[in-house]
Amino acid sequence: MLREASTAGRSAADNHGTGSGLAAVLGAAAGAVGGVFGSLVTGKVQRDGVLISVRAEHLKERRQPRHEVYKAFIQSLTTLKDRVLAENYENTRAEEEDAFRKEINARWIDVSLLGPIYVNSHAVEVRDLALVVVNRMGAARECASVLLRLNGDEGDDVFEHAERSAGHAVDSVRAHAELLGATIDAFSVTASEALNDDGTKRRLGLRERMRRFRPLIPRQGFQQDT
């Protein structure tokens, strides 16, 4: 009996020791895993903080140059719009039209180099519409030139057709210039958002940005010249 009790006691002690050792190993393993996970989380937080700081500094450096090129671009577009929407529209000269094209393209290049991409996307739309306005100005000038060359010997039908064509051409210029004005306003909002971005917010992916910033120009109201 004593021997059996002694043997049972030793077995219980061995089992207790084994259980305590296993618990200690498992506890150590769990602690190690928790430590590794905590380190990964801490490292990610620190890395994200560094990236936000770097991006914020990058945006700060670009804010003033972007402000200047956005302003110059908008001013060029506004000058074109005001030229057309003056109370008494006067036909342009070919040299004036070329000057508008060069100015608008030059300002657009400045914007495209400084970005960001969603501003560039809208800047392309505004530039294209502005160039359509310039082309329509040229068409109105040519229609007016045809009307002025008539000497009265061509007949009433010819004169009336030329007169209607000249009137429609001017109406088309003004309609596109009014659309340009609304588009300039929309672009200004996009540019302002870019300038107000301090880099502390989560950065949108390219696809998400393109979904967020829809085209400025309703396609049913805009037909690009070819």
Side-chain angles (χ1 to χ4, degrees), residues 15-146:
N15 290 338
H16 177 72
T18 301
S20 299
L22 180 59
V25 171
L26 292 176
V33 171
V36 171
F37 180 75
S39 297
L40 291 175
V41 172
T42 301
K44 185 179 185 307
V45 171
Q46 292 175 343
R47 183 172 64 254
D48 289 347
V50 171
L51 291 176
I52 289 174
S53 297
V54 170
R55 182 168 180 265
E57 186 62 27
H58 172 74
L59 291 174
K60 183 179 179 181
E61 292 177 354
R62 287 210 161 195
R63 185 168 294 116
Q64 187 60 33
R66 281 176 173 172
H67 177 273
E68 295 301 326
V69 299
Y70 294 168
K71 180 179 178 181
F73 186 51
I74 292 171
Q75 286 177 333
S76 297
L77 297 167
T78 302
T79 299
L80 172 62
K81 178 205 67 169
D82 292 344
R83 169 66 174 83
V84 175
L85 297 181
E87 184 175 354
N88 296 314
Y89 176 74
E90 295 182 1
N91 284 310
T92 55
R93 302 182 308 278
E95 296 80 7
E96 183 181 8
E97 296 157 16
D98 289 340
F100 272 124
R101 290 189 187 94
K102 290 178 181 178
E103 173 72 10
I104 291 167
N105 281 318
R107 299 308 179 190
W108 169 76
I109 289 173
D110 291 339
V111 172
S112 68
L113 291 176
L114 286 176
I117 188 169
Y118 60 86
V119 172
N120 291 350
S121 177
H122 283 186
V124 169
E125 294 185 59
V126 186
R127 178 207 62 185
D128 289 348
L129 180 54
L131 294 178
V132 168
V133 172
V134 175
N135 291 341
R136 296 299 172 95
M137 293 166 75
R141 171 177 51 79
E142 292 174 0
C143 288
S145 178
V146 170

